[in-house]
Amino acid sequence: MTSEKESRVPIMAEGSCLLRKMEISVAEAEKRTGKNAVNMQETYTVYLIETRPADSVTEGHNPVPDSLWRRYSEFELLRNYLLVTYPFIVIPPLPEKRAEFVWHKLSADNMDPDFVERRRIGLENFLLRVASHPVLSSDKIFFLFLTEENGWKEAVFETGFLAKSDSRLKALNATFRVKNPDKRFSELKHYSDELQSVTSQLLRVRARVADRLYGVYKVHGNYGRVFSEWSAIEKEMGDGLQSAGHHMDAYAASVDDILEEEEHYADQLKEYLFYAEAVKAVCRKHELLQYELETASQDLASKKQQQEELAAGTVRTFSFKGMTSKLFGQETPEQREAKLKVLEEQIKEGEEELQKEFVKNAWKDIERFKEQKDHDLREALMSYAVMQISMCKKGIQVWTNAKECFSKM
């Protein structure tokens, strides 16, 4: 739906430039068959990315856009690169790989045409989110993803981002062992957990309502069948019953379009379900940096204490030379002092980087994200309410029409 697609175009972030220069869309999806890395036959979906200069459209021209095909796994690679390269940014999430929070009529097959279409819209939304971000939009790898079909993967791996990525175990260890967590990030992490919880509950409720709504609408088809059968045995009431039956049949059939539109609103909620995890990723990175600083500070304090004890001769050792060698290696006192000084300076620089750079940049982006979230969810919930009101009005109209049919009998 054009209106739905337009409603999901993100607000232009202040200072961003790429969407001012380039129009970006994921125009279509295509199913393909080929061999994978282990030479096994597989069926997969590719998505056509189209780009064109924005000024060429505003000047009244309509040039043929540049285009290339990407698999979902390539979108995943791009996002993983962005996560590692910009740990202080709330990276926009990708649409789900497999359908979640489905109701019984909705297919959970990731090759289902309706699901693929919704994912196409979600992937376009992801690209527009990145292209409208004041920092991410300027990334060279992102530009290559949009414009270079061949050689893009090699370019992203050449950045060495995989070697910089933090292991899950390392991040988990930092979460439990950091001694002085930043209260703001702790509260933000708790909020993200709560946001995930409420959006999950809302999506489950919506799936249950969709199930019941589908049944209520379809059962109106039984009214249509009964009225139609009844009309066959009535002479004077026949036309009225037949007309009322047609209204009921139309009402029963309309539920498919209604629930398809509902799925798009559900996808907007899912985006913020996944956004909550992106916010937590920023919090975890802060915890990890804080933990590394605390560990380095402890190491410095321990070495200084050991140095003082050795100098004072208060350490119980079998061999003074062996102990100093074990603690500091084969070094002179001047070299040891220089190493301690370097370590101290590194800790100071790390604290400044954490506080001035990471915290400053992260908090700036979190404020931007909060503004975006409030706007998007308000618009989505209002649109959903308008849709529900419209649906109820259609139901009233159907029964009003049926009443008129009965009155003419």
Side-chain angles (χ1 to χ4, degrees), residues 124-332:
E124 179 175 295
N125 188 59
F126 165 76
L127 293 181
L128 293 176
R129 293 279 195 207
V130 176
S132 66
H133 193 281
V135 176
L136 301 179
S137 62
S138 302
D139 186 86
K140 292 180 181 178
I141 294 295
F142 174 58
F143 187 77
L144 290 176
F145 179 87
L146 296 172
T147 57
E148 298 292 333
E149 186 151 19
N150 299 315
W152 172 78
K153 282 187 180 180
E154 290 77 4
V156 74
F157 286 126
E158 281 173 7
T159 64
F161 83 98
L162 287 175
K164 301 173 191 172
S165 60
D166 303 312
S167 71
R168 289 179 180 273
L169 186 60
K170 191 176 178 183
L172 185 65
N173 186 44
T175 299
F176 287 107
R177 298 185 67 177
V178 67
K179 291 181 178 179
N180 298 300
D182 188 311
K183 186 180 178 182
R184 291 175 301 170
F185 283 92
S186 298
E187 289 174 351
L188 182 64
K189 194 175 180 183
H190 177 70
Y191 168 76
S192 301
D193 286 332
E194 294 295 316
L195 180 62
Q196 272 188 324
S197 177
V198 294
T199 48
S200 295
Q201 291 175 47
L202 195 56
L203 286 163
R204 289 190 187 97
V205 169
R206 183 259 152 191
R208 289 200 298 271
V209 170
D211 263 326
R212 294 181 185 182
L213 191 65
Y214 183 81
V216 168
Y217 267 70
K218 288 302 182 184
V219 95
H220 279 70
N222 293 339
Y223 278 132
R225 177 180 55 78
V226 172
F227 286 149
S228 181
E229 291 173 356
W230 190 2
S231 70
I233 62 172
E234 298 287 352
K235 289 184 179 178
E236 284 154 22
M237 296 198 307
D239 289 345
L241 289 167
Q242 185 75 37
S243 296
H246 288 325
H247 286 302
M248 295 300 160
D249 288 338
Y251 185 65
S254 67
V255 72
D256 296 297
D257 289 339
I258 289 169
L259 292 179
E260 182 184 341
E261 187 178 352
E262 271 202 10
E263 284 305 316
H264 291 290
Y265 293 115
D267 286 340
Q268 291 180 46
L269 282 177
K270 287 177 184 178
E271 182 185 22
Y272 279 91
L273 175 69
F274 305 142
Y275 250 127
E277 189 59 40
V279 174
K280 287 197 286 187
V282 175
C283 297
R284 285 194 296 268
K285 183 64 179 179
H286 180 270
E287 285 175 340
L288 185 57
L289 290 172
Q290 181 70 33
Y291 175 64
E292 287 174 348
L293 272 177
E294 289 178 0
T295 303
S297 296
Q298 288 173 3
D299 183 43
L300 176 64
S302 174
K303 286 189 174 180
K304 277 188 173 180
Q305 183 182 357
Q306 290 165 354
Q307 186 184 40
E308 288 168 3
E309 289 176 349
L310 286 169
T314 57
V315 178
R316 298 177 184 176
T317 60
F318 297 105
S319 164
F320 185 81
K321 185 178 179 181
M323 179 58 71
T324 55
S325 175
K326 183 178 180 182
L327 290 172
F328 297 103
Q330 299 289 341
E331 297 169 339
T332 64

Side-chain angles (χ1 to χ4, degrees), residues 380-390:
L381 292 171
M382 286 174 60
S383 298
Y384 184 71
V386 168
M387 191 200 81
Q388 296 295 324
I389 293 168
S390 174

